[in-house]
Amino acid sequence: MPVPDVEAEAQGPVLEAIVESASQCRSPGAFDRVYKDECMYTFATPEHADGLFTNLKTWEGVCSDLLLLDSLKSGCPLYLWERHVRMPLTEEEKAERSSKPTEMAIGTEEGFRSQSQPFTVQKEFALAVVARGQAHLVSASASSVPAGVAAALSAVMEKESASKLDDIAVWREDVQVSRYAADLEQLPAKGKAVSMDPATWKCYETGDTGNLWLNLSTGVIGSGRPQWDGEKNIGGNGSALRHFEATGRKYPLAVKLGTITPDGADVYSYAPDEDDMVLDPLLKKHLLHWGIDMARMEKTEKTMAEWQVDFNMQFEFNKITEAGSSLRPVSGPGLLGLKNLGSTCYMNSVLQVLHSVPDVKARFADQREAVFQGTPAGQCGDSLGLNLAKLGRALCDGVTYAPAPVRGDASLTPEDEGRVVNPARVRRILGKGHAEFSSNRQQDAAEFLSWMLDLVSRAERADPALTQGGAHPGRPLEDLFQLGVQQRVLCTESGKVAYKNDRDSCLALQIDLGSATNMEAVSAYEDRQSKRQRTAGGPPSGTASKDEEDKVLPRVPLAACLGAWTADETIEGYHSAALGRPTTASKSQRVSAFPPFLFLRLDRYCMDRETWTAKKIECEVEVPETLDLEHLRGAGPQPDEELQPEDAAQGGTGSSGGTAAAASWDDDIVAQIVAMGFSENGAKRACLATGNGGGGGVEACMNWVLEHMGDPDINDPPVAPGGGGGAAAEEADPNAVAMLCGMGFSESHAKAALKAKGGSTEQAADWLLSNMDDLDSAVAQVNAAAVAPAVGDAREPLDGPGKYELVGFISHMGQNTSCGHYVCHIKKDVPGIGKHWVIFNDEKVALSENPPFGLGYVYLFKRVGA
């Protein structure tokens, strides 16, 4: 719909439309959400050439192309029209914005300015009226506009956009207070006062004058690790660490001299149990002991944070992802990047991989018109189906909107030019009701994938129309990835067997480093690294040496991981239905159905049983681009096998264990296991399976969880012996309902929350608090999904040949899934090139030259011929 010029006053049919619709206009209150920064159906923003229109009844923004549709759906023709025009910066503004960030943060004044742009924005406003199928713009200050309409217009204009309230994009590295600071021993100064003149500082060992660290206990000045600026070492030889070693490791804290200011300084702890940057709350006192007055000091060197920032700012895309390769950027349909909203690379990678599946495009992007029309006005902001259709249209078809014309030299960015999509609204919906995925912290991509598929399944139950399109219409999306798992348990005493069939959305494989084929090369590399570290030493510089050797990782064949998955497992205390008592059993598993698309996860992260912290198994797994898994197919009961009685299925071929020795789970043990990062349902299953740990308590339960992490049903709600209790019970736990009601929620709200979160009281409370803005609507959706026929219940799996080709994989860089960075590689049809691997690193999309197949975390395989 074309947008006309702004008229000073409303007249004729336009004025009539305003008067007739004035009563529909609403002014948002403090807790109301206004979506005025992006179209509900597209990614057009107020910077689009035609601006953005925000409905004064629903407070939902829409672009000019869909203005008529929105007006008909809402019944309200009145809108706030807003357009942003970029203006070039003045010389003073350019100078102010040229300052570099000083901390590893996003969205803070000192950190990476996620919103800093080389221009200013001039905002234009007007009242928009849809009359006789045309858009008309009237001055916001026109005297002909009724007072109620003017008030609503002004309120929407001044109201902060919902996305601004949601998107607190701040991330910074946590620096802990050193445990050695409070009682730090300082040797007598006695003439060892340190000059406050930086020109006099030098390393005690070599005389170097850069990268100097003062040991706060001994007063000795030594060099830190070498700091490399390209080919040049600009300071550091490791003498500070060697001094720490030479003094018996008694004096761990050192301060970087050139960073001392009245506000603080860089402090490093050499202590083995810290070995990191730390905070010293008594730094002023400790420095004064050596004659240094912080209040009179000025910074002369970069802080470690500044080194890290510079290192990240200079770290080119190709160096981060595929060292030595010159990566060629690409864009277009299927080749758009996703904006990182602050540690959302895990979500971006999952979204990109899922949208490479043809059925995802067919169900959402291709069905967008029906989804758009079928979503009621006022509910677009919280509709998962609509927002996936909107995202799918952009990612798959490459349909985005460029901004308004730029005046002067205010240049465009890749996001402006339609090569990057902002997934903020999808992120909010997918994170809603989940304490972690709604936060700005880094998350596990595999867990997010499972969560997202579950949310899509719920949306499909509420609206079966979302299952239309694609090769399998009428089937829920999760069916495309559902792997059938057949578990066989042999009672070794009676010789009788029991079978149980489960489904899982991912084939999870554990990694055994003992199967690595190059351990001699790994050992040799580690010996060389050990020698280097002994000679270098000192605090990390944040930069890499030019002579640093590529790391040699263990190489594990995928066949070894598959073999471990199918291997027999001994179960002690298995409750044999054949014998009616506990005994020993042998459990094995096979595949009962191969889906059209198979997600395979390599469990690179495990729990260190000594420290009870997550750690990463660093290795390469030899994952081929074609895979034949037919040898994993299970044949089911054999003619020569004798089956156990039917209640054997309750006895535990799955992770709910051998014998359900406990009548219920111990809440204290469950809480301790959950605090270690495991699921509540897994903790409850461990308690039921081990009788609340028996004599071993929480440690026995913890060991059971670690041994059963790969079980398909480990995170499913458990059922207590006798079928009672548990999250799967028909009625909500009265105690849980009472607890939630005690927080101020109604009984109906509490029951719906428990239903939505599988009976978990803690997660139900989070769900209620997360949905406070529209709780009645959220409860209605949960109840509707509960009474609606489950899409595809009792359906046969989409089984087929177990021969696959690799079409995408997600890789993670970092020591555990709560930090680091995710990227994904997807095989795409690239215009002018054909099938080629493409790397998606948030906003950056490029042709991949050396896909790291062996370093992936989650792999997506497509059935050959599917």
Side-chain angles (χ1 to χ4, degrees):
M1 181 179 294
V3 178
D5 295 332
V6 179
E7 298 290 339
E9 293 290 343
Q11 299 177 7
V14 175
L15 181 58
E16 292 176 8
I18 295 175
V19 173
E20 290 175 1
S21 305
S23 61
Q24 299 188 59
C25 296
R26 301 187 300 146
S27 296
F31 299 102
D32 291 320
R33 301 176 66 82
V34 175
Y35 298 93
K36 65 175 185 177
D37 61 346
E38 185 178 274
C39 174
M40 305 307 297
Y41 308 98
T42 71
F43 286 91
T45 71
E47 291 193 352
H48 178 233
D50 290 337
L52 196 71
F53 301 79
T54 303
N55 192 299
L56 294 182
K57 176 182 178 181
T58 65
W59 307 319
E60 294 182 337
V62 62
C63 65
S64 59
D65 292 348
L66 295 166
L67 183 58
L68 186 58
L69 168 65
D70 185 77
S71 177
L72 292 173
K73 284 173 55 176
S74 67
C76 179
L78 305 183
Y79 295 78
L80 165 68
W81 175 78
E82 182 174 356
R83 181 167 65 185
H84 298 172
V85 179
R86 298 180 179 182
M87 306 298 291
L89 296 174
T90 64
E91 292 302 320
E92 292 76 14
E93 290 171 331
K94 288 181 180 178
E96 181 182 351
R97 297 195 181 193
S98 64
S99 59
K100 291 184 178 181
T102 59
E103 66 175 350
M104 290 291 288
I106 297 174
T108 65
E109 292 184 0
E110 298 82 7
F112 290 112
R113 297 181 179 88
S114 59
Q115 301 301 321
S116 179
Q117 304 288 3
F119 49 79
T120 58
V121 175
Q122 177 179 295
K123 298 182 179 181
E124 302 172 348
F125 299 97
L127 171 65
V129 185
V130 179
R132 299 184 178 181
Q134 299 294 323
H136 304 268
L137 299 184
V138 178
S139 173
S141 59
S143 59
S144 55
V145 176
V149 176
L153 195 69
S154 178
V156 173
M157 190 185 306
E158 296 175 3
K159 178 72 175 180
E160 190 75 85
S161 175
S163 65
K164 294 292 192 301
L165 301 176
D166 295 332
D167 198 17
I168 305 172
V170 176
W171 173 89
R172 55 165 56 87
E173 291 182 313
D174 290 329
V175 180
Q176 303 298 321
V177 173
S178 172
R179 60 186 297 182
Y180 301 97
D183 300 315
L184 184 71
E185 178 183 357
Q186 290 189 286
L187 302 181
K190 291 185 179 179
K192 292 184 180 180
V194 177
S195 169
M196 293 180 59
D197 181 6
T200 65
W201 298 338
K202 61 182 179 180
C203 173
Y204 81 96
E205 188 178 81
T206 65
D208 288 351
T209 58
N211 189 19
L212 298 176
W213 294 74
L214 168 69
N215 189 296
L216 290 172
S217 294
T218 67
V220 171
I221 299 174
S223 290
R225 282 193 189 137
Q227 290 181 317
W228 291 88
D229 186 1
E231 294 288 314
K232 182 181 178 182
N233 176 11
I234 58 176
N237 58 62
S239 62
L241 176 58
R242 290 193 289 276
H243 173 70
F244 168 71
E245 299 283 354
T247 52
R249 297 189 168 194
K250 292 176 58 180
Y251 312 116
L253 299 189
V255 61
K256 189 173 184 180
L257 285 172
T259 66
I260 301 174
T261 71
D263 298 322
D266 279 354
V267 179
Y268 193 89
S269 173
Y270 294 108
D273 59 346
E274 290 183 333
D275 195 20
D276 203 349
M277 301 298 299
V278 295
L279 294 177
D280 178 4
L282 303 177
L283 182 59
K284 182 177 181 180
K285 171 187 173 184
H286 293 155
L287 284 173
L288 199 59
H289 177 84
W290 299 110
I292 297 178
D293 183 1
M294 287 180 61
R296 297 166 51 199
M297 296 297 293
E298 294 183 1
K299 186 165 73 75
T300 60
E301 289 191 13
K302 293 179 180 179
T303 65
M304 297 301 291
E306 288 172 325
W307 274 109
Q308 290 285 356
V309 168
D310 283 348
F311 184 56
N312 282 274
M313 290 174 70
Q314 298 168 9
F315 218 43
E316 297 295 333
F317 175 47
N318 61 326
K319 293 182 181 178
I320 296 175
T321 53
E322 297 180 26
S325 299
S326 178
L327 300 184
R328 172 180 154 195
V330 291
S331 62
L335 300 171
L336 300 187
L338 285 170
K339 184 177 181 179
N340 192 316
L341 305 174
S343 299
T344 56
C345 52
Y346 70 94
M347 178 191 75
N348 291 349
S349 296
V350 169
L351 290 174
Q352 291 284 15
V353 168
L354 277 177
H355 279 86
S356 69
V357 176
D359 276 70
V360 174
K361 176 180 183 297
R363 288 164 182 252
F364 297 104
D366 295 348
Q367 299 290 324
R368 60 185 177 274
E369 299 300 337
V371 175
F372 290 170
Q373 293 181 15
T375 305
Q379 298 182 23
C380 298
D382 291 318
S383 169
L384 178 58
L386 182 144
N387 282 278
L388 286 178
K390 168 183 172 178
L391 180 67
R393 184 191 188 209
L395 290 181
C396 300
D397 298 339
V399 179
T400 58
Y401 285 81
V406 178
R407 298 176 185 174
D409 60 354
S411 58
L412 298 179
T413 67
E415 183 178 357
D416 301 331
E417 295 170 347
R419 292 188 279 121
V420 174
V421 177
N422 186 336
R425 196 161 293 155
V426 169
R427 182 265 184 100
R428 188 184 72 83
I429 296 172
L430 292 175
K432 194 173 184 180
H434 193 288
E436 289 301 315
F437 297 143
S438 61
S439 74
N440 286 317
R441 294 183 291 272
Q442 184 67 277
Q443 304 297 333
D444 187 326
E447 291 182 5
F448 179 77
L449 171 63
S450 177
W451 170 257
M452 180 177 173
L453 289 177
D454 181 61
L455 288 186
V456 172
S457 178
R458 295 186 204 175
E460 289 171 335
R461 291 190 182 99
D463 183 7
L466 293 176
T467 65
Q468 301 307 307
H472 305 282
R475 300 292 293 257
L477 182 65
E478 65 179 359
D479 275 14
L480 274 69
F481 311 102
Q482 286 287 304
L483 177 77
V485 179
Q486 177 190 94
Q487 295 183 345
R488 176 183 182 272
V489 175
L490 169 66
C491 172
T492 54
E493 190 171 346
S494 68
K496 296 182 179 181
V497 298
Y499 283 88
K500 178 183 176 183
N501 288 316
D502 285 313
R503 294 187 185 182
D504 202 354
S505 59
C506 186
L507 176 59
L509 302 180
Q510 296 184 352
I511 300 173
D512 179 14
L513 290 181
S515 303
T517 58
N518 65 329
M519 290 310 298
E520 290 186 5
V522 172
S523 298
Y525 165 79
E526 291 175 347
D527 288 342
R528 294 192 296 273
Q529 280 295 99
S530 179
K531 293 177 182 177
R532 292 189 189 98
Q533 292 173 358
R534 285 196 297 270
T535 57
S541 66
T543 56
S545 168
K546 64 174 182 177
D547 298 322
E548 189 170 334
E549 180 184 1
D550 289 340
K551 192 167 187 177
V552 179
L553 298 176
R555 288 197 301 270
V556 179
L558 182 65
C561 301
L562 293 170
W565 188 81
T566 59
D568 290 346
E569 173 190 357
T570 299
I571 303 176
E572 300 292 344
Y574 168 75
H575 183 82
S576 171
L579 300 176
R581 57 178 171 79
T583 185
T584 301
S586 175
K587 183 177 76 171
S588 62
Q589 57 188 356
R590 294 292 186 273
V591 176
S592 60
F594 288 103
F597 290 86
L598 173 67
F599 276 113
L600 183 151
R601 184 184 80 238
L602 294 176
D603 286 335
R604 294 182 176 274
Y605 308 93
C606 61
M607 184 64 65
D608 187 326
R609 298 197 183 191
E610 294 184 0
T611 62
W612 295 105
T613 57
K615 68 176 183 179
K616 184 176 184 178
I617 301 174
E618 292 192 287
C619 67
E620 291 187 54
V621 178
E622 297 168 343
V623 178
E625 291 194 63
T626 58
L627 195 60
D628 188 346
L629 299 178
E630 274 296 330
H631 65 286
L632 300 183
R633 189 181 290 276
Q638 299 299 297
D640 58 344
E641 291 180 334
E642 187 175 355
L643 299 180
Q644 295 187 46
E646 286 297 322
D647 64 346
Q650 302 296 328
T653 60
S655 67
S656 48
T659 176
S664 64
W665 46 80
D666 185 309
D667 289 336
D668 289 338
I669 293 178
V670 170
Q672 292 181 64
I673 296 176
V674 170
M676 296 177 191
F678 297 95
S679 72
E680 182 177 344
N681 287 336
K684 290 177 178 178
R685 285 175 173 272
C687 290
L688 294 177
T690 63
N692 287 319
V698 67
E699 184 174 353
C701 292
M702 190 69 246
N703 288 334
W704 187 94
V705 171
L706 292 170
E707 291 169 359
H708 291 82
M709 285 179 64
D711 290 351
D713 58 350
I714 183 66
N715 295 316
D716 291 347
V719 178
E730 190 73 22
E731 293 295 327
D733 182 349
N735 293 328
V737 173
M739 184 179 299
L740 294 174
C741 290
M743 297 172 62
F745 297 102
S746 69
E747 182 177 345
S748 61
H749 287 168
K751 288 183 177 180
L754 290 166
K755 188 183 301 179
K757 306 312 296 180
S760 167
T761 306
E762 181 180 353
Q763 292 183 27
D766 287 339
W767 185 90
L768 287 165
L769 294 172
S770 299
N771 287 280
M772 283 293 292
D773 54 330
D774 193 5
L775 190 53
D776 289 334
S777 176
V779 168
Q781 185 175 355
V782 169
N783 292 332
V787 300
V791 177
D793 270 0
R795 59 196 181 269
E796 289 297 318
L798 296 172
D799 189 21
K803 295 183 178 181
Y804 293 94
E805 60 177 317
L806 182 64
V807 293
F809 62 98
I810 298 171
S811 305
H812 175 257
M813 295 173 281
Q815 288 303 306
N816 58 68
T817 54
S818 64
C819 64
H821 184 60
Y822 285 96
V823 300
C824 67
H825 289 72
I826 305 173
K827 185 174 279 189
K828 291 278 189 176
D829 273 317
V830 181
I833 297 177
K835 286 285 187 181
H836 199 286
W837 282 98
V838 176
I839 182 169
F840 293 81
N841 184 3
D842 291 329
E843 296 90 346
K844 303 179 181 71
V845 181
L847 296 177
S848 174
E849 299 301 330
N850 299 291
F853 298 117
L855 300 178
Y857 176 41
V858 178
Y859 296 80
L860 176 62
F861 287 88
K862 176 185 177 182
R863 183 192 295 155
V864 175

